[in-house]
């Protein structure tokens, strides 16, 4: 009896662990716990200081950097989508990417916008599977490039001002990831999943030319995000050197990529406070800079969302208005819409030349007239 009860409990436990609702709740709890811990550690003053540090110049610079990063990311997405057989115009990709960034920045988890982007693209092309794979490959490629850049910078630049603590942590995280991967390879199921993902990645990137373009676009995206964080650090008054800004920005961006936040908040502020404390700037400064960065992440995408969502509606309204003005001037001309009149031009006999005119009868009438 006990054995039967245990057998029943295992599938139920597995369903609970695999439940999407449980996953979302767990992410909210983790992100919320980190945010509460940060507030208890540094108080609310650093958050208020960060909010007060946002000015018009900072917002304008962030909007420009966001536009460049979004254009590069949309280009990367389009390359992979077309490679997988899901047609996508670059202008459409830019608008959809703006919307997905906004959704990711205000909803928990940081992936809801990407899911919506994949679904909308798949429905518009009747290639939902290819669209979903394109978004997955695009996100994976971007994060892989960001991780590689972070590790290289930590090893080369990190020891110059923060000792070997940050590089050792970066190398430790990499070693842990490799260890987990090697352990997972012992499972045939995991090997099958990895082979499938590798095949999808090869199909998405395809030729070396496409891979180079994807890497280049990803580098542009990372550079724009690093510059935005540097602007945030300058806005709160931290006197960090360029090399320090580069390391701190990449560390915070790496924490931002983890889907454990509450609308983007939580791990970002915690890691920023820790990294700035290690670098000698104080945890409060890091939290303030992360707060500015969080505000800019939302504000900088709003113009793009408005342009790509409102502009088509405005253009449609203007087109209808102009069409109504034209129909008002030509109100006496009505098109033939009766079903029996369709194809009338094809049914009416055509004469290639005019019939010869007969002689006039007395009184001015032709014969038969």
């Amino acid at each position: 009896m006990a054995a039967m009860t245990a057998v029943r409990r295992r599938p139920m436990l597995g369903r609970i662990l695999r439940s999407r609702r449980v996953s979302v709740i767990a992410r909210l709890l983790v992100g919320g716990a980190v945010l509460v811990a940060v507030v208890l550690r540094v108080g609310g003053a650093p958050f208020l200081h960060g909010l007060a540090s946002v000015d018009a110049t900072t917002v304008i610079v962030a909007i420009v950097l966001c536009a460049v990063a979004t254009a590069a990311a949309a280009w990367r997405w389009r390359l992979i989508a077309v490679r997988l057989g899901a047609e996508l115009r670059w202008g459409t990709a830019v608008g959809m990417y703006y919307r997905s960034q906004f959704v990711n920045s205000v909803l928990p988890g940081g992936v809801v916008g990407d899911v919506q982007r994949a679904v909308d693209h798949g429905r518009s092309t009747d290639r939902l599977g290819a669209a979903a794979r394109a978004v997955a490959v695009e996100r994976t490629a971007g994060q892989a490039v960001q991780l590689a850049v972070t590790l290289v910078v930590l090893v080369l630049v990190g020891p110059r001002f923060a000792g070997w603590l940050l590089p050792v942590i970066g190398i430790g995280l990499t070693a842990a990831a490799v260890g987990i991967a090697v352990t997972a390879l012992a499972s045939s199921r995991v090997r099958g999943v990895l082979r499938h993902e590798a095949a999808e990645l090869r199909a998405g990137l395809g030729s070396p030319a496409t891979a180079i373009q994807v890497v280049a676009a990803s580098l542009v995206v990372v550079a724009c995000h690093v510059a935005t964080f540097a602007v945030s650090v300058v806005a709160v008054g931290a006197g960090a050197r360029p090399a320090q800004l580069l390391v701190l920005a990449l560390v915070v961006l790496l924490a931002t990529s983890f889907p454990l936040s509450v609308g983007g908040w939580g791990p970002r502020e915690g890691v920023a406070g820790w990294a700035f404390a290690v670098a000698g700037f104080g945890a409060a400064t890091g939290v303030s800079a992360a707060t500015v960065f969080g505000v800019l992440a939302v504000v900088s995408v709003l113009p793009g969302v408005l342009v790509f969502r409102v502009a088509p509606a405005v253009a449609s309204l203007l087109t209808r208005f102009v069409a109504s003005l034209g129909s008002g001037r030509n109100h006496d001309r009505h098109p033939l819409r009766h079903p029996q009149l369709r194809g009338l031009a094809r049914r009416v006999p055509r004469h290639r030349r005019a019939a010869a005119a007969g002689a006039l009868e007395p009184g001015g009438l032709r014969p038969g007239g």
Side-chain angles (χ1 to χ4, degrees):
M1 187 68 180
M4 292 178 63
T5 303
V7 171
R8 290 177 181 175
R9 286 178 179 174
R10 287 175 184 174
M12 183 178 296
L13 180 60
R15 287 195 300 271
I16 292 175
L17 293 176
R18 290 191 297 266
S19 173
R20 182 172 297 180
R21 181 177 299 178
V22 173
S23 176
V24 172
I25 293 175
R27 292 174 181 177
L28 286 174
L29 291 177
V30 173
V34 173
L35 189 59
V36 170
V38 172
V39 174
L40 292 176
R41 176 67 177 83
V42 301
F47 293 92
L48 297 177
H49 175 60
L51 293 175
S53 301
V54 179
D55 55 12
T57 303
T58 304
V59 170
I60 293 173
V61 174
I63 289 174
V64 174
L65 291 172
C66 180
V68 176
T70 303
W75 177 257
R76 177 180 65 194
W77 177 30
R78 179 187 175 277
L79 286 172
I80 296 172
V82 172
R83 185 80 185 180
L84 292 176
E87 290 298 325
L88 180 64
R89 294 189 305 171
W90 180 63
T92 303
V94 172
M96 296 174 71
Y97 219 103
Y98 261 116
R99 185 186 61 183
S100 69
Q101 290 180 108
F102 175 75
V103 174
N104 286 341
S105 62
V106 297
L107 292 182
V111 295
V112 179
D114 297 302
V115 174
Q116 184 184 26
R117 175 160 56 99
V119 172
D120 290 346
H121 180 212
R123 288 176 177 174
S124 64
T125 58
D126 288 332
R127 298 292 305 274
L128 186 57
R133 290 193 297 272
V135 172
V137 172
E138 183 260 331
R139 282 291 300 257
T140 301
Q143 292 182 353
V145 171
Q146 178 180 330
L147 178 60
V149 172
T150 302
L151 293 178
V152 170
V153 171
L154 282 178
V155 173
L156 296 180
V157 183
R160 297 182 184 179
F161 71 95
W164 283 97
L165 180 59
L166 291 177
V168 166
I169 290 177
I171 296 172
L173 291 175
T174 305
V178 172
I180 294 173
V182 171
T183 304
L185 286 176
S187 170
S188 59
R189 182 178 180 182
V190 172
R191 288 197 300 271
V193 172
L194 291 178
R195 282 195 296 268
H196 175 73
E197 294 300 326
E200 295 292 345
L201 192 61
R202 287 195 300 270
L205 297 181
S207 63
T210 303
I212 291 173
Q213 293 180 73
V214 169
V215 172
S218 301
L219 291 175
V220 172
V221 174
V222 173
C224 290
H225 290 166
V226 168
T228 303
F229 189 81
V231 170
S232 304
V233 174
V234 173
V236 298
R241 298 191 298 273
Q244 296 172 327
L245 286 176
L246 178 61
V247 173
L248 293 172
L250 288 172
V251 170
V252 175
L253 289 175
L254 186 62
T256 306
S257 63
F258 289 101
L260 298 173
S261 62
V262 182
W265 300 85
R268 177 181 60 209
E269 287 69 32
V271 172
W274 169 81
F276 274 70
V278 170
F281 296 104
T285 303
V287 173
S288 297
T291 301
V292 176
F293 184 76
V295 173
L296 295 180
V298 179
V299 175
S300 60
V301 299
L302 287 178
V305 173
L306 293 176
V307 168
F308 285 94
R309 296 296 292 179
V310 176
V314 173
S316 178
L317 290 176
L318 289 176
T319 302
R320 293 180 182 179
F321 177 71
V322 173
S324 65
L325 292 179
S327 62
R329 288 193 299 266
N330 302 314
H331 62 278
D332 55 333
R333 299 180 181 179
H334 299 285
L336 299 178
R337 298 183 180 276
H338 195 278
Q340 295 181 358
L341 298 178
R342 294 175 182 173
L344 181 62
R346 296 193 301 270
R347 298 198 298 268
V348 173
R350 297 182 179 179
H351 298 283
R352 296 184 179 275
R353 57 184 180 180
L360 295 177
E361 295 182 352
L365 296 177
R366 288 188 176 88

